Each structure stands twice: as structure tokens, then as C-alpha cells.
């Protein structure tokens, strides 16, 4: 969808050129780049500073994120923050965002059921993620689950095959030259840990992947 009424999904026309994170955050409130803005409460943009050393990319906001307007504040977020702590990653060093910035759900009488975004939603929302990635200069980018992995690394990456490995991050075309050595890595989504039959084992493996991130961070200072 676009302002001229032609079916052409995509956030691009809402993304301001120039400006920092604040201008992105403000502009994203009005995005109509795909139909997901309609039933959702609000755009959930990101949390964290431009100076973050770790960029964490999730899938899309969940029910609580949609209500509160902040990423990873529901059950998956609590698990993520606990795992980051166990891995020795300082939350102050993290910037947290999602591949898709509106909550996609199926309404039911009792609750709004999470619905995985389609490729078309990830593609429509990509201009926001690209703009964030162009502003930040993280040492490690962490893709949480399949949607984020696909959004950042493309369709050939595989979460279970590639998890816990560090891939050199190249500056995409149009992105300013990177100021520091940078890596991209992949792990499962914290919601998958919450759903796992063997929760303790799944959580330990998730923390192990995040320890790889912690080890890749050059000592601060
Ligand atoms: N799951 C996500 O992928 N992102 C959030 O912000 C919350 C849950
Ligand atoms: Fe815009 Fe992304 Fe929301 Fe779609 S999901 S309306 S592209 S911010």
C-alpha cells in the first residue's frame, strides 16, 4: 500500500533520510507500509542506544509489547534478559529491535494469538531495519529465530545449522563503512526456549550461543 493507492507494500516512503534514531522512532509511528498497522495498537520500534555494541533482532512484537510499545517486555523478553545476564552481556550494551514492527495476531474471544509474519511483511518492514543497521555500528548482530535470521542474512541461513557461529558482517551497499570489526550470529528465538519440551536444556543452549557473543566483544575501554 502507498499514499498514491497503488498496491506496493513497503515502509520506504515513511523512512526519513538523515537524522538519528529519534527521528526514525517518531516517523515509524505513522508507518502504513503494510496492513499490519491496522489491527495493532501501535508501532513497536526498538530499545537501546546508537552506541550499542550488540544488536539483537527479534521477529515482531508480541501481545504485551504491542500494548506497552516496547520490544521484549513480555515472557520472551524476560527470558532473553535473563539469558543475556547469564551470558555476561550488559543490557546497557544492547540495542533490541524486531524484523517486523507491528504485532500480527489472530483475535480470539480470550486473547490475541500470535501469528508469524509472512515474507511480505518482513520485506515491507525491512527499510526500518536497514535504517537502524545503517545508524548503529554494533560489534555483534544477533538474529533471534528464523524470521530475524532470514531478514538479516537472507534465505540460505539456517538457525539450527548456523546457531552459535560468528559470520563476518559486511557493510551492505549504501551503509557507511563500519568503524569496528563486526560479526553476525544466529540463535533460537527465546519463545522457542519457552515452548521447548526440555526447557532447561534449551535454555542452556541459548545461553551458550549468547556466551559466544560475549566472547566476541572486545574488552570495553
Ligand atoms: N518476540 C519478539 O520477537 N519480539 C518481541 O519484541 C517480543 C517477542
Ligand atoms: Fe510499517 Fe512495518 Fe508496521 Fe508494516 S509492520 S506498517 S511496514 S512498521
Amino acid at each position: 500500500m502507498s499514499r498514491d493507492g497503488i498496491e506496493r507494500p513497503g515502509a520506504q516512503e515513511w523512512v526519513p533520510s538523515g537524522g538519528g534514531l529519534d527521528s526514525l522512532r517518531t516517523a515509524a509511528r505513522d508507518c502504513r507500509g503494510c496492513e499490519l498497522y491496522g489491527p495493532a495498537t501501535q508501532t513497536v520500534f526498538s530499545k537501546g542506544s546508537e552506541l550499542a555494541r550488540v544488536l539483537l533482532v527479534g521477529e515482531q512484537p508480541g501481545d504485551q509489547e504491542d500494548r506497552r510499545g516496547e520490544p521484549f517486555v513480555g515472557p520472551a523478553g524476560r527470558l532473553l534478559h535473563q539469558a543475556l545476564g547469564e551470558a555476561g552481556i550488559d543490557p546497557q550494551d544492547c540495542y533490541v529491535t524486531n524484523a517486523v514492527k507491528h504485532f500480527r495476531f489472530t483475535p480470539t474471544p480470550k486473547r490475541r494469538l500470535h501469528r508469524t509474519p509472512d515474507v511480505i511483511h518482513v520485506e515491507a518492514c525491512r527499510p526500518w531495519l536497514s535504517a537502524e543497521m545503517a545508524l548503529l555500528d554494533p560489534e555483534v548482530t544477533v538474529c533471534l529465530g528464523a524470521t530475524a535470521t532470514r531478514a538479516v542474512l537472507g534465505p540460505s541461513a539456517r538457525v539450527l545449522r548456523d546457531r552459535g557461529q560468528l559470520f563476518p558482517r559486511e557493510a551492505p551497499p549504501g551503509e557507511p563503512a563500519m568503524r569496528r570489526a563486526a560479526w553476525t550470529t544466529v540463535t533460537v528465538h527465546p519463545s522457542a526456549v519457552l515452548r521447548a519440551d526440555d526447557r532447561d536444556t534449551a535454555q542452556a543452549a541459548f545461553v551458550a550461543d549468547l556466551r559466544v557473543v560475549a566472547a566476541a566483544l572486545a574488552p570495553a575501554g
Side-chain angles (χ1 to χ4, degrees), residues 10-11 28 31-37 43 100-102 121 124-125 128:
C31 185
R32 304 283 183 264
C34 73
E35 82 281 6
L36 295 188
Y37 76 88
T43 307
V100 171
K101 271 119 173 116
H102 275 103
H121 304 118
C125 217
W128 293 117

Side-chain angles (χ1 to χ4, degrees), residues 15 20-29 42-47 61 65 69-71 95-102 125 127-129 131-132 135:
V15 179
L21 268 183
D22 287 345
S23 78
L24 283 185
R25 282 201 175 106
T26 306
R29 288 186 205 141
Q42 58 189 318
T43 307
V44 178
F45 200 69
S46 66
K47 193 162 185 192
E65 289 79 11
E70 266 187 49
Y95 178 96
V96 186
T97 193
N98 285 301
V100 171
K101 271 119 173 116
H102 275 103
C125 217
W128 293 117
L129 184 62
E132 293 169 280
L135 276 179

